[in-house]
Amino acid sequence: MLKIAIITGSTRPTRINQKVAEWVYSFAKMRSDAIFELVDIADYNLPMFDEPLPPTLGEYRQEHTKIWSQKVADFDGFVFVTPEYNHSITGVLKNAIDFLYSEWNNKSAGFVSYGATGGLRAIEHLRLILSEVQIAHVRPQTSLSLYDDFRNFESIAPRPFQIRSLNEMLELVLLWAQALKSIRTKH
């Protein structure tokens, strides 16, 4: 059975990111074709990148990196839930990605973003970053507007088409995850 992580993209104490990730998880877990897990990067307390060697070598020295490595390596694909900060992703999400390399390779990813303009620019940047760590990202994405898909900028109330876009994205993440799994087993 495929394992897909739904990764939070913010650690801000007053974040709505957790609510959005839980919304994604509530739909994903209804599927019977994969196991989904909510992975909150706040739980890993990653400092700013502090490994003495590049992640491409896979020779981690820090205990927090080893724990993060084991968690990420366990999955076949990912759904990144990211807010848009200053026309990009959060620093904490970029940092969490930068800690690892091979654990990300040849896996699939989809995106759920949110912001004043739906978080579109955050996803554009995230696509570039994930390409460098060899994650294949699917085209469909769910982009939530703070003005139209939330109540009072706090509780999520997505419009019906957002649920359709989420299902379409999840379907492709799973298809690609299955295909890429065969590549990983050959290596």
Side-chain angles (χ1 to χ4, degrees):
M1 181 83 62
L2 293 172
K3 290 184 71 179
I4 307 296
I6 299 167
I7 299 181
T8 62
S10 173
T11 58
R12 179 184 278 178
T14 58
R15 64 189 169 151
I16 59 172
N17 189 263
Q18 185 71 25
K19 293 175 186 176
V20 176
E22 289 169 357
W23 172 74
V24 173
Y25 178 68
S26 72
F27 280 94
K29 73 179 182 179
M30 290 189 285
R31 300 181 67 104
S32 61
D33 50 356
I35 297 167
F36 291 88
E37 182 179 333
L38 191 56
V39 177
D40 188 349
I41 58 175
D43 294 341
Y44 294 86
N45 293 319
L46 295 170
M48 288 305 291
F49 184 74
D50 63 348
E51 286 289 337
L53 298 171
T56 53
L57 298 177
E59 297 178 25
Y60 306 129
R61 306 262 170 92
Q62 305 297 339
E63 190 60 27
H64 53 262
T65 309
K66 293 174 184 176
I67 293 168
W68 181 233
S69 169
Q70 290 172 346
K71 178 51 82 176
V72 171
D74 197 33
F75 294 101
D76 300 299
F78 310 95
V79 175
F80 290 90
V81 179
T82 183
E84 183 175 306
Y85 286 7
N86 299 320
H87 293 204
S88 191
I89 64 170
T90 63
V92 71
L93 178 55
K94 175 72 164 76
N95 187 56
I97 294 166
D98 287 347
F99 260 95
L100 307 174
Y101 181 72
S102 65
E103 297 83 351
W104 301 117
N105 294 176
N106 297 314
K107 296 180 180 179
S108 65
F111 308 104
V112 176
S113 63
Y114 59 93
T117 59
L120 297 173
R121 292 167 294 218
I123 291 178
E124 288 175 0
H125 290 182
L126 191 51
R127 286 183 188 281
L128 292 171
I129 294 162
L130 295 182
S131 292
E132 187 59 27
V133 294
Q134 298 187 47
I135 290 180
H137 38 88
V138 302
R139 186 193 61 76
Q141 62 197 38
T142 302
S143 301
L144 303 167
S145 165
L146 286 173
Y147 300 103
D148 299 320
D149 295 306
F150 293 85
R151 288 187 194 97
N152 300 322
F153 303 104
E154 291 179 357
S155 61
I156 186 165
R159 293 166 287 172
F161 77 88
Q162 299 290 20
I163 295 166
R164 287 191 303 276
S165 73
L166 177 62
N167 283 324
E168 181 183 4
M169 178 266 294
L170 289 172
E171 186 68 30
L172 284 177
V173 166
L174 292 174
L175 285 172
W176 286 30
Q178 187 64 51
L180 291 166
K181 191 171 190 171
S182 65
I183 292 171
R184 289 195 315 279
T185 57
K186 289 181 182 178
H187 289 222

